[in-house]
């Protein structure tokens, strides 16, 4: 392909980047969509708005059901070798996010996490009305999902912690908060990158593959932070398990699993929108 390249000027400083001719980057122009309005009362009259909320409820319900049930199964085993272990728990969380994002992305966007919703709201990807509705439905779904797991084995559920997030012994609250901030940053930054409409305009395969990196990010963050906090990075998941478990020590650190993810999501939104997306996709000739 030598001799068949052209300079594509990118960035406010007009630095050049060489890309091969014939790529979709050269054949598609990208137009930035307008930011979502802060309030959109007309949404409340749309069936698609309510359908999206129901999809978020059901997805978060299934997410908590499968993942907390996996945690309970590992807790029940006499040894780690007799169960899926921490790796299996991480796969359950990551795999469910992969499947559920794939199933619901076309309906609600497949957030399944108030921190993701909050980050996208800060980036003006959805209205405040829809954001609040999503977060409420996600929390309700999480409570119901954890409740069903407890219904199967109430005494064992209470005895083994109910999958509630707490800061592990040997770690400080600051350690837990830092783990939640960084873990959520990884997740929300991956969400922004995997669903970026600008990348969609350049690489048509990106939207199809979007659930894969998102689920894989959840898997990796769980591998890293399960020993520290049990891995929250999802306030609805932490709230659902805490409400159904309802023990004092589960509430002592609960603020960490809201403050940390929201800070991480805000930082990811800021980084992606201000640093990454500040570079124009294609300069005018």
């Amino acid at each position: 392909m030598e001799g068949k390249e052209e300079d594509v000027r990118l960035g406010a400083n007009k630095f050049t980047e060489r890309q091969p001719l014939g790529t979709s980057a050269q054949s598609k122009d990208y137009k930035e969509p307008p930011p979502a309005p802060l309030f959109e009362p007309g949404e409340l009259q749309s069936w698609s708005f309510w359908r999206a909320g129901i999809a978020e409820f059901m997805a978060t319900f299934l997410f908590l059901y499968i993942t907390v049930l996996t945690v309970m199964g590992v807790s029940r085993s006499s040894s780690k070798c007799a169960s899926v272990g921490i790796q299996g728990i991480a796969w359950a969380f990551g795999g469910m996010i992969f499947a559920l994002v794939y199933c619901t992305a076309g309906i609600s966007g497949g957030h399944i996490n108030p921190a993701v919703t909050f980050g996208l709201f800060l980036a003006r990807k959805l209205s405040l009305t829809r954001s609040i509705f999503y977060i409420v439905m996600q929390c309700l779904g999480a409570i119901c999902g954890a409740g069903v797991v407890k219904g199967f084995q109430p005494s064992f559920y209470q005895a083994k912690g109910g999958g509630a997030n707490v800061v592990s012994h040997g770690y400080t609250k600051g350690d837990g908060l830092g783990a939640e901030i960084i873990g959520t940053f990884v997740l929300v930054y991956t969400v922004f990158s995997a669903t970026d409409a600008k990348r969609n305009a350049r690489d048509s395969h990106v939207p199809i593959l979007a659930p894969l990196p998102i689920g894989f990010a959840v898997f990796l963050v769980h591998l890293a932070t399960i020993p520290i906090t049990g891995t929250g990075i999802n306030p609805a998941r932490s709230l659902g398990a805490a409400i159904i478990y309802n023990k004092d020590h589960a509430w002592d650190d609960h603020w960490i699993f809201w403050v940390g993810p929201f800070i991480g999501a805000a930082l990811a939104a800021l980084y992606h929108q201000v640093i990454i997306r500040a570079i124009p996709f294609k300069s005018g000739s």
Side-chain angles (χ1 to χ4, degrees), residues 241-259:
I243 286 179
I244 299 302
Y245 180 56
N246 198 27
K247 295 291 185 181
D248 289 341
H249 69 275
W251 293 111
D252 290 341
D253 301 331
H254 187 69
W255 64 271
I256 291 173
F257 302 101
W258 283 86
V259 175

Side-chain angles (χ1 to χ4, degrees), residues 12 21 45 47 73 93 144 167 171 186 196 198 222 232 238 249 255:
L21 280 173
Q45 302 174 4
W47 165 241
F93 278 89
C144 292
V167 177
Y171 294 96
V186 171
D196 193 344
K198 187 178 290 187
H222 274 76
S238 300
H249 69 275
W255 64 271

Side-chain angles (χ1 to χ4, degrees), residues 121-186:
F121 165 71
L122 292 180
R124 301 295 302 275
K125 302 297 184 183
L126 67 164
S127 67
L128 179 62
T129 310
R130 185 175 292 263
S131 300
I132 294 174
F133 182 48
Y134 276 16
I135 290 173
V136 170
M137 296 301 281
Q138 289 158 0
C139 290
L140 291 175
I143 294 168
C144 292
V148 170
V149 175
K150 182 178 179 179
F152 288 156
Q153 43 194 354
S155 58
F156 181 79
Y157 183 92
Q158 292 298 117
K160 294 298 183 179
N165 290 119
V166 295
V167 177
S168 302
H169 294 295
Y171 294 96
T172 66
K173 294 183 187 297
D175 296 333
L177 182 62
E180 289 297 306
I181 291 173
I182 296 172
T184 311
F185 179 92
V186 171

Side-chain angles (χ1 to χ4, degrees), residues 29-133:
D29 290 327
Y30 173 76
K31 294 183 179 180
E32 188 75 34
L38 189 60
F39 296 101
E40 194 170 357
E43 284 185 320
L44 301 177
Q45 302 174 4
S46 170
W47 165 241
S48 64
F49 174 81
W50 300 101
R51 181 182 64 178
I54 294 170
E56 287 293 311
F57 171 88
M58 183 57 66
T60 316
F61 167 81
L62 294 173
F63 178 62
L64 265 287
Y65 171 74
I66 294 296
T67 55
V68 174
L69 198 60
T70 303
V71 172
M72 291 294 97
V74 172
S75 300
R76 181 182 289 275
S77 301
S78 57
S79 68
K80 292 183 179 179
C81 295
S83 69
V84 295
I86 289 179
Q87 292 86 352
I89 293 174
W91 274 120
F93 278 89
M96 280 303 291
I97 289 296
F98 168 71
L100 293 170
V101 170
Y102 180 83
C103 292
T104 60
I107 302 171
S108 66
H111 298 188
I112 323 170
N113 185 335
V116 171
T117 300
F118 180 66
L120 293 172
F121 165 71
L122 292 180
R124 301 295 302 275
K125 302 297 184 183
L126 67 164
S127 67
L128 179 62
T129 310
R130 185 175 292 263
S131 300
I132 294 174
F133 182 48

